[in-house]
Amino acid sequence: MSKEKILIIGANGQIGSVLSAALRDQFGSDSVIATDIRDGAKHQEGIFEILDVLDAAALGSIVERHQVTQIYHLAAILSAKGEANPLKTWDINMNGLFNVLEVAREKGVQKVFHPSSIAVFGSDIPRQHTPQDAVLKPTTVYGMSKVAGELWSQYYFQRYGLDVRSLRYPGVIGYQSDPGGGTTDYAVEIYHYAVKGKPYACFLSQKTMLPMIYMDDAIRATLELMDAPAESIRVRTSYNLAGMSFSPEQIAASIQQEVPGFNVLYQPDFRQKIADSWPESIDDSAARKDWGWQPKYDLDSMTRDMLFHLQEKYASV
Ligand code: SER
C-alpha cells in the first residue's frame, strides 16, 4: 500500500471527479480521500466524505484523521458564475485556499496542488503565445482570486517551505464529467449536442480563439507536476499550460468531419467579454523545460475521442 494519503477537495467537480479516479489508480483506493460539499454518487469505489472547505475545523479533522500527506484543492467558483456574485466568489475562492494552506502548514502536509487558470490574464498582454511572466490584470473576480491565490501559494512556499504546486489550466474538455460556470464550457456542451443530433447555440462568437486542453492531458499534466522532484519546480506561482487553441467555428468544423450536418448557431452573451479578455494561445515553455510537459491531443484527435466516448455513454442510457 502507498504511504501517501491524498485528500481531494471538490472531488465531484469537472476535474476533481476524473482526478480522483486517476489518483486511485496510481496510489490505490485506500490512499485517496475524496471530499465535496455535495454528496458523492461518483465515488462508490473509494473513500468519500462531505466537506465544506470554508469549515476549517472540519478540514483539519479530516487531515488529522486520515494522516493526509497531499491535498488537491479543486473547489472554486469559476469565471462566468463568479460574476453573478463577486463577493461570495472571492470569499469561497480565497478563504477556501487560506484554510487549505493553513491546515497544510499546521498539520505537516507535504504537498498541495492549487489550480490556477488562463483567467489570471486580462488587459495589456500579448494575446498570442502569452508568456509565463505576462502582466496579470484579470477582469473577472475569479481571475482576481486566482492571481491572489498564486501569490499566496508562492508565499507559503517561500515563508514556510510548504510544497505548493500549481497549473494555469486552459479550458478543460472531457466526456467523463460536466463543467459548471465557466466561459470555456461551450467546448464540452457542443459535443453533447452533436451526439444527440441537435443544433447547438454557442454563447461565444465563431472566431473567439481560446486555449483549451483535453481532460487526459490535463490530468496527466497535474500528476506529472506533482510527481516532479521539488527542485525542478522553479515557478512557485503557477505554470502556464497549453494543449491546443481553437475557435467555435474550428471545433464545429472538426465535429462536422465526423458528424456531417451538425449545425451551430452563434448567440454571444455576457461570456463573450470574458473570453475577449483572455489569451488566444499560451506559451508553456517553462513547464516543458522544468518538468518535461508535452501535450498529446490536438483538436481532431480530441474530437474523435470525445465523440466515441459520448456515443457510448448516450447509447447506454
Ligand atoms: N475554464 C475556466 C472558466 O472558463 C477557466 O479557468 O472559467
Side-chain angles (χ1 to χ4, degrees):
M1 211 176 80
S2 158
K3 60 181 177 7
E4 301 293 341
K5 286 279 178 186
I6 300 170
L7 174 64
I8 304 161
I9 302 167
N12 290 351
Q14 188 203 10
I15 298 174
S17 55
V18 188
L19 189 62
S20 301
L23 287 165
R24 285 190 191 112
D25 283 348
Q26 185 176 340
F27 292 95
S29 279
D30 293 345
S31 298
V32 176
I33 301 105
T35 67
D36 200 282
I37 196 164
R38 287 156 303 177
D39 205 3
K42 289 174 179 156
H43 301 277
Q44 272 130 359
E45 287 164 30
I47 306 166
F48 177 83
E49 295 194 25
I50 299 276
L51 173 68
D52 176 354
V53 71
L54 295 182
D55 185 344
L59 172 61
S61 116
I62 288 186
V63 167
E64 222 167 80
R65 194 152 30 86
H66 293 280
Q67 300 187 312
V68 167
T69 59
Q70 298 188 22
I71 302 179
Y72 288 73
H73 171 40
L74 298 163
I77 299 196
L78 296 196
S79 60
K81 196 170 169 209
E83 293 309 285
N85 200 335
L87 297 185
K88 183 175 159 217
T89 301
W90 182 261
D91 178 36
I92 290 173
N93 292 5
M94 293 315 302
N95 288 320
L97 177 62
F98 289 142
N99 288 345
V100 168
L101 293 173
E102 270 300 279
V103 164
R105 181 179 73 83
E106 279 168 13
K107 311 237 180 259
V109 172
Q110 283 150 23
K111 276 190 213 169
V112 175
F113 178 76
H114 170 246
S116 184
S117 159
I118 51 166
V120 294
F121 299 112
S123 37
D124 302 331
I125 49 160
R127 297 235 108 75
Q128 277 142 27
H129 306 292
T130 305
Q132 177 69 44
D133 291 323
V135 63
L136 303 180
K137 290 192 209 167
T139 59
T140 60
V141 68
Y142 169 68
M144 287 158 56
S145 73
K146 289 298 181 189
V147 173
E150 287 189 4
L151 293 170
W152 275 104
S153 299
Q154 177 175 256
Y155 181 87
Y156 268 69
F157 172 71
Q158 289 173 343
R159 174 94 197 260
Y160 305 115
L162 182 63
D163 189 354
V164 191
R165 305 180 184 196
S166 177
L167 297 172
R168 290 174 179 156
Y169 286 128
V172 178
I173 299 159
Y175 58 87
Q176 302 95 326
S177 53
D178 295 329
T183 304
T184 56
D185 295 8
Y186 90 84
V188 179
E189 286 166 10
I190 195 168
Y191 286 110
H192 287 260
Y193 278 75
V195 169
K196 287 193 271 193
K198 291 185 182 162
Y200 179 63
C202 182
F203 58 74
L204 298 181
S205 69
Q206 59 246 63
K207 300 226 181 282
T208 310
M209 291 286 284
L210 285 172
M212 303 277 185
I213 192 168
Y214 196 39
M215 182 67 84
D216 292 40
D217 276 340
I219 297 295
R220 189 168 50 79
T222 309
L223 299 177
E224 285 177 6
L225 172 79
M226 292 299 274
D227 280 344
E231 46 305 345
S232 64
I233 308 297
R234 278 186 274 260
V235 175
R236 286 293 176 170
T237 49
S238 187
Y239 278 100
N240 276 12
L241 182 75
M244 60 189 94
S245 280
F246 57 77
S247 63
E249 69 180 6
Q250 288 170 331
I251 193 176
S254 175
I255 295 172
Q256 280 153 357
Q257 288 174 37
E258 309 290 325
V259 186
F262 175 52
N263 191 17
V264 180
L265 334 165
Y266 297 95
Q267 295 171 350
D269 66 13
F270 73 100
R271 289 168 278 194
Q272 183 67 44
K273 211 169 140 200
I274 299 177
D276 288 341
S277 77
W278 287 354
E280 293 183 3
S281 62
I282 294 289
D283 173 356
D284 64 356
S285 46
R288 288 170 188 257
K289 188 165 150 271
D290 289 359
W291 45 276
W293 168 240
Q294 191 76 56
K296 286 195 182 144
Y297 283 86
D298 63 11
L299 175 55
D300 287 337
S301 53
M302 173 175 80
T303 293
R304 285 191 296 273
D305 209 54
M306 279 294 283
L307 293 174
F308 171 79
H309 286 287
L310 287 179
Q311 272 151 3
E312 213 176 50
K313 202 166 174 169
Y314 282 111
S316 69
V317 287

